[in-house]
Amino acid sequence: MRSPVISATSRPGGPGVRRIALAATLLLIAAFLTVVLPAPHAHAASAGNVTGATKSGDTVTVTTSSGAAARVVLARADIFRIWLSPNGSFTDDPAGSDLAVKTGFGSVGATLTDAGSYYRISTPSISLRINKAPLTFALYRADDTTLVWAESQPTNWTGSQTTQYLTRGADEQFYGTGLRLGEWALRDKTVPVAVSNQWTENTNASPAPFYMSTKGYGVMRNTWAPGSYAFGAPTSLRHNENRFDAWYFAGNSLKDVLNGYTDVTGKPFLAPIWGLELGNADCFNASNPDYQGDPNRARHQTTPDVVGYATDARNADMPSGWFLPNDGYGCGYTSLPTTVTQLKAKGFQTGLWTSTGLGNIGWEVGTAGSRAVKTDVAWIGGGYKSAFAGVQQAVDGIENNSDARRFVWTVDGWAGTQRNAVVWTGDTSGTWDAMRWHVPAITGAGLSGLNYASGDVDGIFGGSPKTYVRDLQWKAFTPAFMTMSGWGATNPSTGYHDKQPWRFSEPYLSINRRYLQLKMRLMPYLYTMSRHASETGVPSTRAMVLEYPDDPVARGNETSGQFMAGDSFLVAPVVSDTTTRDGIYLPAGSWTDYWTGKVHNGPGWLNGYSAPLDTLPLFVKAGAVVPMWPQMNHSGEKPVSTLTYDIYPRGSSSFSLYEDDGLTRAHQTGSYARQRVDVTAPASGTGDVTLAVGASTGSYTGKPATRGYEFTVHSASAPGTVKVGTTTLAALTTKAAYDAATTGWYYDAADRSGTLWIKTGSTGSAFTVTATGLTVPAGTPVGGTSPSSPISKTNWKLAYADSQETAAENGAATNAFDGNAGTIWHSRWSTGTSALPHEIQIDLGARYDVDSLTYLPRQDGGVNGRVGSYELYVADGTGSWGSPVATGSFADIATATKVSFTAKPGRYLRLRALTEAGNRGPWTSVAELTATGRPSA
């Protein structure tokens, strides 16, 4: 008798209790690892002075006066490893080859030179200085003058922790640390690189000991130990181990750095094409005696009941690609082979998720036909190496028992997880606020090489029809997404049955269908983007800084609420209950509204964008060439007998389409094809547009010998003529005539501000289309000022605090705006107290029209110091504050309170705490202050 794979999931009661208890235990463990262990202190040891350096091949060994030693290994001209051993031995290597899976790239031919006060290691790409007194490192470009990074003091260790300190550039920005649940620009933030399984804002669902900088470098600490990165001045980079071991990646861009990082740690895996379709998870074996939920759940009595849900989806004409029909906390599965077969007949793949391990995966994959695995916290929730090994077991279970590709979902990933799994944000709720921080979280994961990052559509708990629709809209533009059914609102709104998109009433049903259908049409584009990620490490879902690294707005969190889907689409999710979207930043260039065809010229801010519930703000970059499938509900439902290219001509642009069988690993041995399309058009005004369509080169199982082509070319004017090669196509006078024709063209001035439709017929060869007299839309400049939005704390500084506790604890006033709710500013108490009122003055770093301040009381369980009555001021200087912009009293509670007021310009912000909310004593404490406003002249 086989033991079914069972899984971890969450729900308000029943088996979810076990998971909640487990999560609490793990949280306590993580808290111990990240908080209880002591921070580096004055008695920390360091290596001392350099006594010698020797070179053997591409390895340099450095000896020191303390007996410590350093080893520098040059793996490639732009990649190297620094391993610092306090005891001079290089035998302690806990990570081994787990994280750095490729370290040999051929001979580098590095040179070692004694330059007097330092040794210099040189390659064609970098110059690494080893300063002698004391031992510190500094990285320069190959010119040996352009500084990339430098240690501000020697790396030190305490016996339990090792910390590196780096100088910080005046405008240097930092990214990375894995799937961090919040903003992705990290300057002045302290980020835990540790497993906590909290799944709340500013925690880390899948931490990675990796970060990169706008200075053109990235670092991966080669360790399983938890840590913490403080991106202040200097940066302080700590891990809980008595050794230092790090890989460094130099590059001319952030994309270069990601490429180097994933060259060493592994490229993102290429998911099966159905993995880009919507997945759905639920328990369909509720009658199992071990199940602790409702044993009488309708249509959930045995696993084959899932086929009824699959039938519902198809009857609703709703795209969706796979099911996880089991919930391990007592649910398990029955009749798995039959279920897999019946689901496959309807175009669905089947996976299982596990809370205990993979003891039966050989049968489940090899015989029953399961093709996906979801690991969950009851099994891999300890994180680090155990979670990493569990994911690898899941990968091996799929690939050792079938010709299928890995498709594994996991929490608690680490560096290198991108080569094996989708990471997701854990058990979150369907709220507007959770959606707000999910956008930068999933986008920011790509800045650690995680191509597949996701969060359950509308969370796992709660939710509403509106939040579901809005969440589904933007997640349809990410590579992988899943909805978790059965754990929604206890008393849902009318028309909200559970979290399958086809079980909603109108208008939500039609909106869900619209975006799932759009994703299916865009599948060849999104699949090509994921292939690009598997080759370069550059994710499909991209923070604006990846595409616009020199744009100062794109580099910071002002753009964290939007992202690029590949290189052509700008997605600006609506994450509040509104029909108007403000604060959309359009970088330099022309951007076409996908729905209306209106063209906006950046750079600048687009405010007041009309975004009713059925409209996701979506813009297409000038020059875009977007391949599209015929409409279908799952991959393989129809042959791609006609391929459409949606084209936004402006200047010269191109696209290289990638295709393979979408299912097997044959692409790894060369079974795939590419097709390049080059577009030549006027940069502005009117002229000819040429589409040079190359032949599809390469082969794979199922590749069509010929296919038809259709083009939608966006133009403000009709063409004079349209030719394929030398053959003139017929001009058709109605869309109906065009739809009925095999070849020809039709211009519709009312379609998205002007669209030229072209059919060229079927071919397997290269060809050229020329349309004469097309007009590139002129576009309208967008505004130059941002809306009121959170003021980035990147440049905030403490101007003054009248009292701060620093002796018995780090209650420094800067903790009030360090981006870490776990730290606090507390007025002095261990060496005497000072009377109320207390105050803090903050330099915002620039002038803003400030219109709100949010006060978060201490979150550490303590209550004293909660602010009672207060005054707020905004001014251009600290010498004359004028009248307060707001006064009032905060309640004696632990939750955040926002104070809004009439916008006032100024660079300085002042909070005066007049009383303590509970009248417990003359104290003031603050966990975090945030403010909103807009840049002011």
Side-chain angles (χ1 to χ4, degrees):
M1 182 175 179
R2 68 180 184 272
S3 299
V5 168
I6 59 177
S7 68
T9 186
S10 299
R11 57 185 67 77
V17 172
R18 283 198 275 175
R19 180 166 182 172
I20 293 167
L22 171 68
T25 301
L26 294 170
L27 179 59
L28 290 172
I29 294 170
F32 175 81
L33 290 173
T34 58
V35 177
V36 175
L37 289 177
H41 50 74
H43 301 295
S46 60
N49 295 336
V50 173
T51 57
T54 57
K55 177 178 172 293
S56 176
D58 289 317
T59 299
V60 174
T61 301
V62 180
T63 56
T64 71
S65 57
S66 69
R71 178 181 288 174
V72 181
V73 180
L74 284 300
R76 204 168 71 185
D78 56 347
I79 298 174
F80 61 94
R81 176 187 187 184
I82 297 178
W83 185 355
L84 177 60
S85 170
N87 64 11
S89 169
F90 296 99
T91 58
D92 179 19
D93 187 5
S97 60
D98 293 329
L99 309 184
V101 293
K102 183 176 181 180
T103 59
F105 298 90
S107 175
V108 177
T111 62
L112 176 66
T113 305
D114 190 337
S117 61
Y118 61 89
Y119 289 100
R120 180 173 60 246
I121 301 174
S122 300
T123 78
S125 298
I126 56 110
S127 176
L128 179 67
R129 295 186 184 183
I130 307 169
N131 297 308
K132 296 181 180 179
L135 170 63
T136 56
F137 293 90
L139 181 66
Y140 291 78
R141 297 292 178 192
D143 60 12
D144 197 37
T145 58
T146 305
L147 180 65
V148 179
W149 59 260
E151 291 183 328
S152 60
Q153 67 185 74
T155 294
N156 60 39
W157 51 88
T158 67
S160 60
Q161 296 179 336
T162 302
T163 308
Q164 183 187 40
Y165 306 88
L166 300 182
T167 60
R168 189 180 72 177
D171 61 350
E172 186 175 6
Q173 187 57 271
F174 304 90
Y175 315 103
T177 74
L179 176 55
R180 178 182 183 273
L181 305 187
E183 294 176 330
W184 43 254
L186 305 178
R187 182 182 170 100
D188 286 324
K189 294 184 185 297
T190 298
V191 181
V193 184
V195 171
S196 66
N197 293 312
Q198 296 178 65
W199 308 312
T200 56
E201 188 174 10
N202 293 321
T203 63
N204 211 319
S206 279
F210 167 80
Y211 73 93
M212 59 180 177
S213 159
T214 50
K215 297 284 283 184
Y217 75 94
V219 185
M220 181 195 75
R221 292 285 279 268
N222 194 45
T223 181
W224 291 116
S228 177
Y229 297 168
F231 295 105
T235 62
S236 174
L237 310 155
R238 168 174 60 84
H239 278 275
N240 296 343
E241 61 180 357
N242 200 46
R243 60 191 295 276
F244 178 87
D245 189 353
W247 284 91
Y248 294 83
F249 314 94
N252 294 318
S253 67
L254 295 174
K255 290 182 177 181
D256 282 352
V257 173
L258 283 175
N259 192 34
Y261 168 62
T262 54
D263 278 345
V264 170
T265 61
K267 296 297 184 189
F269 74 102
L270 181 61
I273 199 161
W274 54 264
L276 276 65
E277 301 166 27
L278 180 69
N280 188 286
D282 201 350
C283 169
F284 284 93
N285 194 31
S287 63
N288 183 3
D290 292 332
Y291 182 56
Q292 297 180 24
D294 178 6
N296 299 312
R297 287 187 69 195
R299 304 179 69 198
H300 291 73
Q301 290 300 290
T302 62
T303 303
D305 285 350
V306 70
V307 180
Y309 275 70
T311 302
D312 292 345
R314 298 304 181 230
N315 289 342
D317 193 25
M318 190 73 69
S320 183
W322 50 284
F323 273 96
L324 300 179
N326 77 308
D327 160 19
Y329 281 89
C331 182
Y333 58 73
T334 63
S335 307
L336 185 60
T338 300
T339 302
V340 170
T341 299
Q342 292 179 342
L343 285 175
K344 188 171 290 187
K346 296 182 179 297
F348 290 92
Q349 296 287 339
T350 304
L352 302 171
W353 93 91
T354 174
S355 59
T356 59
L358 299 165
N360 210 35
I361 194 169
W363 178 87
E364 291 158 350
V365 172
T367 300
S370 179
R371 289 293 182 265
V373 173
K374 176 174 175 282
T375 69
D376 220 326
V377 294
W379 176 32
I380 54 85
Y384 310 109
K385 187 169 184 174
S386 63
F388 201 84
V391 169
Q392 186 64 57
Q393 291 174 35
V395 167
D396 294 341
I398 294 171
E399 296 191 349
N400 291 345
N401 294 287
S402 72
D403 63 355
R405 301 178 199 174
R406 62 194 67 182
F407 193 61
V408 179
W409 283 58
T410 194
V411 287
D412 298 337
W414 197 249
T417 293
Q418 74 276 355
R419 66 181 187 257
N420 281 337
V422 182
V423 295
W424 92 97
T425 57
D427 290 355
T428 59
S429 295
T431 66
W432 295 111
D433 193 55
M435 198 187 314
R436 170 190 58 78
W437 56 256
H438 264 82
V439 176
I442 291 172
T443 302
L447 296 169
S448 293
L450 292 160
N451 183 56
Y452 302 96
S454 188
D456 301 327
V457 176
D458 200 34
I460 186 171
F461 301 120
S464 69
K466 281 186 178 181
T467 54
Y468 190 97
V469 162
R470 286 300 196 191
D471 210 30
L472 179 71
Q473 285 176 350
W474 70 269
K475 284 177 178 169
F477 283 85
T478 65
F481 64 148
M482 178 168 61
T483 182
M484 299 279 284
S485 303
W487 304 277
T490 302
N491 297 298
S493 305
T494 302
Y496 182 59
H497 300 291
D498 57 24
K499 291 180 182 285
Q500 286 106 348
W502 54 87
R503 287 175 57 79
F504 288 73
S505 62
E506 295 292 358
Y508 315 109
L509 177 70
S510 293
I511 301 173
N512 291 339
R513 181 188 299 113
R514 179 188 192 189
Y515 284 90
L516 291 173
Q517 288 180 336
L518 178 57
K519 180 162 193 180
M520 290 304 300
R521 290 217 66 198
L522 292 173
M523 193 65 74
Y525 169 81
L526 294 169
Y527 191 60
T528 296
M529 292 298 111
S530 282
R531 170 66 181 196
H532 182 72
S534 74
E535 295 173 319
T536 66
V538 177
S540 178
T541 304
R542 302 174 188 173
M544 298 302 296
V545 68
L546 277 179
E547 294 300 302
Y548 298 92
D550 297 324
D551 185 324
V553 176
R555 291 170 68 150
N557 285 318
E558 284 182 292
T559 61
S560 67
Q562 61 187 61
F563 60 90
M564 294 292 295
D567 50 25
S568 296
F569 288 98
L570 190 155
V571 184
V574 177
V575 296
S576 62
D577 191 4
T578 181
T579 58
T580 301
R581 175 63 152 90
D582 289 327
I584 302 170
Y585 181 71
L586 301 179
S590 295
W591 299 87
T592 300
D593 186 315
Y594 186 77
W595 310 112
T596 68
K598 182 177 180 180
V599 177
H600 304 272
N601 297 329
W605 295 90
L606 183 61
N607 297 318
Y609 182 90
S610 178
L613 188 62
D614 66 348
T615 302
L616 168 73
L618 182 64
F619 303 86
V620 190
K621 185 178 179 179
V625 180
V626 181
M628 302 180 75
W629 274 353
Q631 190 67 68
M632 60 184 84
N633 284 330
H634 62 87
S635 53
E637 181 185 25
K638 302 174 184 176
V640 184
S641 55
T642 298
L643 187 65
T644 299
Y645 280 98
D646 191 27
I647 295 172
Y648 299 77
R650 190 177 296 266
S652 297
S653 58
S654 65
F655 187 88
S656 179
L657 172 69
Y658 172 83
E659 296 175 290
D660 60 27
D661 67 22
L663 295 171
T664 74
R665 302 193 298 279
H667 69 284
Q668 296 175 352
T669 53
S671 293
Y672 59 85
R674 293 189 184 273
Q675 181 179 47
R676 182 180 172 96
V677 177
D678 291 285
V679 179
T680 305
S684 61
T686 301
D688 296 348
V689 173
T690 301
L691 317 176
V693 181
S696 177
T697 61
S699 64
Y700 57 89
T701 300
K703 178 184 175 181
T706 64
R707 63 184 168 201
Y709 290 88
E710 183 175 48
F711 302 88
T712 51
V713 184
H714 298 267
S715 168
S717 66
T721 61
V722 178
K723 293 183 177 181
V724 177
T726 59
T727 302
T728 300
L729 295 181
L732 303 168
T733 56
T734 66
K735 186 63 163 55
Y738 171 84
D739 290 341
T742 303
T743 63
W745 65 269
Y746 171 70
Y747 180 77
D748 188 346
D751 179 13
R752 293 164 290 175
S753 302
T755 301
L756 170 62
W757 296 75
I758 304 170
K759 285 182 181 177
T760 63
S762 183
T763 182
S765 304
F767 62 96
T768 300
V769 179
T770 303
T772 63
L774 296 187
T775 301
V776 175
T780 303
V782 292
T785 60
S786 67
S788 178
S789 59
I791 298 173
S792 171
K793 300 181 187 180
T794 298
N795 297 313
W796 286 24
K797 295 181 177 64
L798 179 67
Y800 171 74
D802 73 301
S803 175
Q804 54 185 330
E805 173 62 30
T806 56
E809 62 184 43
N810 182 10
T814 51
N815 289 341
F817 52 88
D818 64 355
N820 183 359
T823 63
I824 63 171
W825 162 48
H826 200 295
S827 57
R828 189 173 64 251
W829 60 267
S830 65
T831 56
T833 60
S834 52
L836 286 160
H838 296 306
E839 69 175 82
I840 183 172
Q841 302 174 12
I842 300 170
D843 177 359
L844 302 176
R847 198 169 192 256
Y848 292 89
D849 292 327
V850 185
D851 58 19
S852 83
L853 178 135
T854 298
Y855 163 65
L856 179 68
R858 59 191 300 177
Q859 301 293 294
D860 59 356
V863 295
N864 66 50
R866 289 177 180 170
V867 176
S869 58
Y870 64 84
E871 296 174 344
L872 301 178
Y873 299 81
V874 176
D876 285 320
T878 58
S880 177
W881 289 100
S883 301
V885 293
T887 60
S889 295
F890 295 119
D892 188 14
I893 56 178
T895 55
T897 303
K898 182 176 181 179
V899 179
S900 299
F901 44 84
T902 302
K904 181 179 179 181
R907 175 168 177 152
Y908 294 88
L909 181 66
R910 180 193 190 195
L911 167 64
R912 292 191 76 218
L914 307 180
T915 66
E916 202 266 3
N919 294 317
R920 302 176 184 90
W923 302 303
T924 293
S925 63
V926 176
E928 203 66 24
L929 296 174
T930 56
T932 62
R934 56 175 56 84
S936 178

